[in-house]
Amino acid sequence: MGKVRNILQAKGNVVFSVEPTVTVYKAIELMSHKNIGGLIITDHRGEKLLGIFTERDYARRVILKGKSSKDTPIGEIMTENPVTVTPDSSIEDCMKIMTNRKIRHLPVIDEGKLVGMISIGDVVRFVIEEQRTIIEDLEHYITGHHQ
């Protein structure tokens, strides 16, 4: 099975992040504009991972608690110390973490530095592509059409 670095090579290392002082409204606006389900919260230099903010956080920590999106800083409702993986983490381990913890996003840290983020969608796409390749290889082997 593949590694996180394989997913990052395919999708790139772009990480959308904001500082903890940004309002929830601005964060949701960015997420909508970029069509993403989670944002990384970093320090003002964008180097230190402080937390993660997802659509689920919005639903549970803003809407259900009656907070104002335009007045609440994201640092107040983000998930602090999120679970992270490294580029060498296996896709299988990522699936276990996501399933057991019921989370959909994993920041990727390499030598203390944020280098990417993977989502459950990224993992599913990778597994489907990997299985498709294995099936094609087996079909070629069975039919004698070796490459």
Side-chain angles (χ1 to χ4, degrees):
M1 180 148 295
K3 303 276 186 201
V4 169
R5 74 174 65 258
N6 302 123
I7 291 176
L8 292 180
Q9 285 167 348
K11 78 175 251 182
N13 292 65
V14 175
V15 177
F16 295 102
S17 65
V18 295
E19 295 176 27
T21 54
V22 167
T23 65
V24 170
Y25 185 85
K26 286 288 185 192
I28 291 289
E29 204 172 48
L30 175 62
M31 290 166 66
S32 175
H33 180 67
K34 299 295 182 185
N35 195 28
I36 56 174
L39 276 177
I40 297 292
I41 314 305
T42 60
D43 63 359
H44 67 278
R45 291 186 306 275
E47 295 173 359
K48 185 173 191 260
L49 172 67
L50 301 175
I52 190 168
F53 174 75
T54 66
E55 293 164 331
R56 187 177 286 176
D57 292 326
Y58 180 70
R60 294 179 181 180
R61 296 182 184 160
V62 177
I63 299 298
L64 288 179
K65 296 202 176 185
K67 294 184 181 242
S68 165
S69 305
K70 294 195 176 192
D71 300 327
T72 306
I74 202 161
E76 212 176 277
I77 53 112
M78 70 183 181
T79 299
E80 295 183 65
N81 304 312
V83 179
T84 63
V85 293
T86 70
D88 291 319
S89 297
S90 73
I91 303 303
E92 187 175 9
D93 285 344
C94 292
M95 289 191 301
K96 285 178 188 171
I97 291 167
M98 290 173 156
T99 302
N100 293 339
R101 302 249 185 158
K102 295 180 174 62
I103 57 177
R104 297 179 178 138
H105 299 86
L106 290 170
V108 184
I109 305 292
D110 192 15
E111 296 179 12
K113 194 172 178 191
L114 180 66
V115 296
M117 182 157 72
I118 62 169
S119 70
I120 190 71
D122 298 327
V123 171
V124 169
R125 274 187 294 282
F126 181 86
V127 170
I128 289 170
E129 181 60 29
E130 188 177 56
Q131 288 177 349
R132 188 187 62 74
T133 301
I134 290 169
I135 290 167
E136 284 178 2
D137 289 346
L138 287 171
E139 286 174 342
H140 287 298
Y141 178 77
I142 291 168
T143 61
H145 295 105
H146 302 290
Q147 294 180 2

